[in-house]
Amino acid sequence: MGDQTPALSNVLNKVKPYVAIISLQFGYAGMYIISMVSLKHGMSNYILATYRHVVATIVIAPFAFVLERKIRPKMTLPIFLRIVALGFLEPVLDQNLYYLGMKYTTATYASAFVNMLPAVTFILAMIFRLEKVNVKKIRSLAKIIGTAVTVIGAMVMTLYKGPIIDFIKSGGVTHQGTTSESADKHWVTGTILMLASIVSWSSFFILQSFTLKKYPAELSLTAWICFMGMVEGAGVSLVMVRDFSAWKVGWDSRLLAASYSGIVCSGIAYYVQGVVIRERGPVFVTSFSPLCMIITAFLGVIVLAEKVHLGSILGAIIIVTGLYTVVWGKSKDGKNSEVIEKSNAQQELPITNNAKSISVDDGIDEPAKIVTIPASKSPLSTQGT
């Protein structure tokens, strides 16, 4: 039993990041449906984004204050300026651009377009040297190919509709009006707005990764981001929306959208993303975003009785293929770093009169080879540099 407990704990630690990020995709899928309903009922996207972070701040701040009071680093001006930038990049810029893009197109198109996120984040991570790419390594090629395949799948889902596939029999009258109306919307403007939102979101992940190195308190950082997003978002909303009656909410879809998105998609999501980013990097986090589109499609069929086209199914299959190719490459990165750490730890131990085995990485994507060093007859000990 003693040997099984550490092994089980090891497995759970490896599985946690996957479970956390996949759970977030379900949360985001619910947010797309609820937010779209509130926007259709006339709620301003600026006010929705502001209320979202009011709720997130109220929920997260007490936990951050209590749980991290002993480990919270000292706030400095450079860190505060980064938090101000984080509060603008995702809570204000990304969310408002995305909501506007969704208004100009459709929720399905918008959720499919989010799949550009892994590719954009991967490119930015390479630029800022958060991701090391060596085309001679299989794991690096897997990440590059997987990112490209994911984007291709998203484009197939967006550009090719094909015939309707009825998984659940429902009346076909409900969404005929919506289809004809969506054809007349400003698709080019909406696409540009969503592309800008994706770049902003990817930049948020990169800056969050750098900030966590200087301010390694995930809950406190989450609370600060939500608070700054609330303040900056309120300023933008007051400029863009002059009608104060638009701020009123009741027991309706507006309150549900603000509460749900604030708690799940801002508060919990920022914290979970921060923890996983520290552990696995920003590309790992964004590589799961295609799952949200698939979940949204199924929820749309069940909850909203939406029609699923053949192109959506083909695109989803391609996206899942690319997704797991990226994840495989990232998992090899994790194994490689563990081997290097073990090798470094062993090399730091003094060589005594006993034979010693060390791990040697020969640059090939296989487990490190064990090389036995014969016992030294010298009484002097040596440390690896």
Side-chain angles (χ1 to χ4, degrees):
M1 291 294 291
D3 294 336
Q4 292 179 357
T5 304
L8 181 62
S9 177
N10 223 7
V11 171
L12 289 176
N13 287 333
K14 290 182 178 179
V15 170
K16 274 181 187 177
Y18 295 90
V19 174
I21 296 302
I22 290 172
S23 300
L24 278 187
Q25 305 315 311
F26 281 92
Y28 280 126
M31 184 268 293
Y32 289 135
I33 293 175
I34 296 170
S35 297
M36 195 61 179
V37 171
S38 67
L39 291 171
K40 283 182 176 180
H41 281 77
M43 189 174 191
S44 167
N45 56 279
Y46 300 103
I47 294 174
L48 174 58
T50 302
Y51 278 147
R52 170 176 172 170
H53 291 93
V54 170
V55 174
T57 304
I58 293 172
V59 171
I60 295 295
F63 290 98
F65 180 77
V66 174
L67 298 177
E68 293 184 342
R69 64 183 183 276
K70 293 183 179 179
I71 64 170
R72 189 183 301 110
K74 183 180 178 181
M75 179 62 66
T76 62
L77 181 60
I79 292 174
F80 180 74
L81 291 176
R82 288 187 181 188
I83 291 173
V84 171
L86 287 169
F88 180 75
L89 281 173
E90 211 284 323
V92 178
L93 192 60
D94 166 45
Q95 289 181 23
N96 282 298
L97 288 173
Y98 189 80
Y99 286 144
L100 281 172
M102 191 160 58
K103 278 184 177 180
Y104 282 125
T105 56
T106 64
T108 304
Y109 184 88
S111 64
F113 206 85
V114 173
N115 297 289
M116 293 293 293
L117 185 63
V120 176
T121 305
F122 183 69
I123 293 168
L124 289 177
M126 284 194 299
I127 293 172
F128 290 99
R129 298 184 180 181
L130 291 174
E131 283 286 328
K132 295 179 180 179
V133 177
N134 185 351
V135 292
K136 295 180 180 179
K137 302 275 188 179
I138 296 177
R139 60 177 179 271
S140 294
L141 285 174
K143 288 186 287 184
I144 295 171
I145 294 171
T147 299
V149 170
T150 299
V151 175
I152 291 170
M155 293 301 100
V156 169
M157 188 173 183
T158 302
L159 301 175
Y160 172 67
K161 286 188 176 181
I164 294 173
I165 308 296
D166 278 331
F167 291 106
I168 299 175
K169 297 295 181 182
S170 59
V173 183
T174 308
H175 296 282
Q176 285 179 0
T178 305
T179 306
S180 60
E181 289 171 8
S182 63
D184 299 326
K185 292 184 178 180
H186 305 288
W187 290 91
V188 175
T189 304
T191 300
I192 293 172
L193 288 170
M194 283 188 289
L195 179 60
S197 78
I198 294 301
V199 174
S200 177
W201 198 359
S202 299
S203 302
F204 171 83
F205 281 125
I206 300 299
L207 184 56
Q208 186 183 28
S209 180
F210 283 117
T211 306
L212 282 167
K213 294 176 182 178
K214 301 288 184 180
Y215 196 82
E218 290 88 357
L219 272 174
S220 298
L221 182 61
T222 300
W224 272 110
I225 292 171
C226 292
F227 177 74
M228 293 309 303
M230 176 188 70
V231 173
E232 296 172 27
V236 173
S237 299
L238 289 172
V239 172
M240 301 301 294
V241 183
R242 302 298 177 89
D243 183 10
F244 287 100
S245 63
W247 291 82
K248 293 180 181 178
V249 292
W251 295 97
D252 53 14
S253 60
R254 298 185 178 196
L255 180 62
L256 177 61
S259 302
Y260 179 89
S261 58
I263 295 170
V264 176
C265 301
S266 288
I268 295 175
Y270 290 165
Y271 172 70
V272 171
Q273 286 168 1
V275 172
V276 178
I277 281 174
R278 283 188 65 191
E279 215 174 295
R280 305 301 296 267
V283 174
F284 179 85
V285 174
T286 58
S287 65
F288 282 85
S289 64
L291 285 178
C292 181
M293 175 193 59
I294 300 170
I295 298 166
T296 304
F298 279 109
L299 287 177
V301 170
I302 296 169
V303 179
L304 302 176
E306 289 182 346
K307 300 297 182 182
V308 177
H309 293 265
L310 177 62
S312 300
I313 298 172
L314 294 177
I317 293 171
I318 297 171
I319 283 169
V320 171
T321 303
L323 167 67
Y324 286 108
T325 306
V326 174
V327 172
W328 181 84
K330 289 299 297 178
S331 67
K332 290 296 180 182
D333 274 350
K335 290 180 181 179
N336 186 61
S337 62
E338 287 177 8
V339 169
I340 292 172
E341 286 176 6
K342 289 178 181 179
S343 176
N344 290 339
Q346 288 175 342
Q347 288 175 13
E348 287 174 1
L349 294 173
I351 299 176
T352 61
N353 288 335
N354 298 323
K356 174 193 173 189
S357 296
I358 64 170
S359 299
V360 178
D361 189 358
D362 56 4
I364 303 174
D365 285 323
E366 293 180 0
K369 297 178 180 178
I370 305 300
V371 179
T372 303
I373 298 179
S376 172
K377 296 181 180 179
S378 170
L380 300 176
S381 63
T382 306
Q383 284 190 327
T385 55

